[in-house]
Amino acid sequence: MILVCAPIIEKAQKELEEKIDDIITEKFTSGLVNTVEFFNVEDMVNMAESLISITNLQRHITSSEETVGGPIDVAVITKADGFKWIKQKTTR
């Protein structure tokens, strides 16, 4: 009986995981991706720094290996200006 049900359970689990991924994409990811398209350079810089800070906090809280954080170098590359430093950490 268990052997017969296993493929059904695995299929249901896979379908549930796909549905959850679709909901996450629809409710959270799509909105952010569509909004970023209209960000100016300053907003993009702020978002990038925030994502690094959030990742650092998440790694710190979950006791994962802390591979993100500390002073951050920020640069922007645009067609008009090319490479431009926004913020450079100081080395001592």
Side-chain angles (χ1 to χ4, degrees):
M1 176 96 174
I2 294 175
L3 295 176
V4 175
C5 293
I8 296 170
I9 292 171
E10 288 174 8
K11 182 180 177 188
Q13 181 179 2
K14 183 177 179 184
E15 288 175 4
L16 179 61
E17 288 172 356
E18 289 173 358
K19 198 63 138 168
I20 290 170
D21 286 344
D22 290 345
I23 291 169
I24 289 170
T25 298
E26 181 183 326
K27 298 283 184 188
F28 302 105
T29 309
S30 295
L32 178 62
V33 170
N34 293 336
T35 303
V36 167
E37 179 180 355
F38 301 103
F39 278 10
N40 61 34
V41 173
E42 184 179 334
D43 290 336
M44 293 290 279
V45 166
N46 290 333
M47 184 181 73
E49 288 184 288
S50 296
L51 290 171
I52 292 168
S53 295
I54 289 169
T55 302
N56 183 37
L57 177 63
Q58 183 265 338
R59 298 259 172 99
H60 180 72
I61 290 172
T62 61
S63 299
S64 296
E65 186 176 339
E66 293 184 34
T67 57
V68 176
I72 302 169
D73 287 326
V74 180
V76 174
I77 302 172
T78 63
K79 288 182 181 180
D81 298 327
F83 184 91
K84 180 179 174 186
W85 283 111
I86 303 298
K87 189 191 313 182
Q88 254 184 305
K89 61 187 172 214
T90 57
T91 54
R92 294 181 189 207

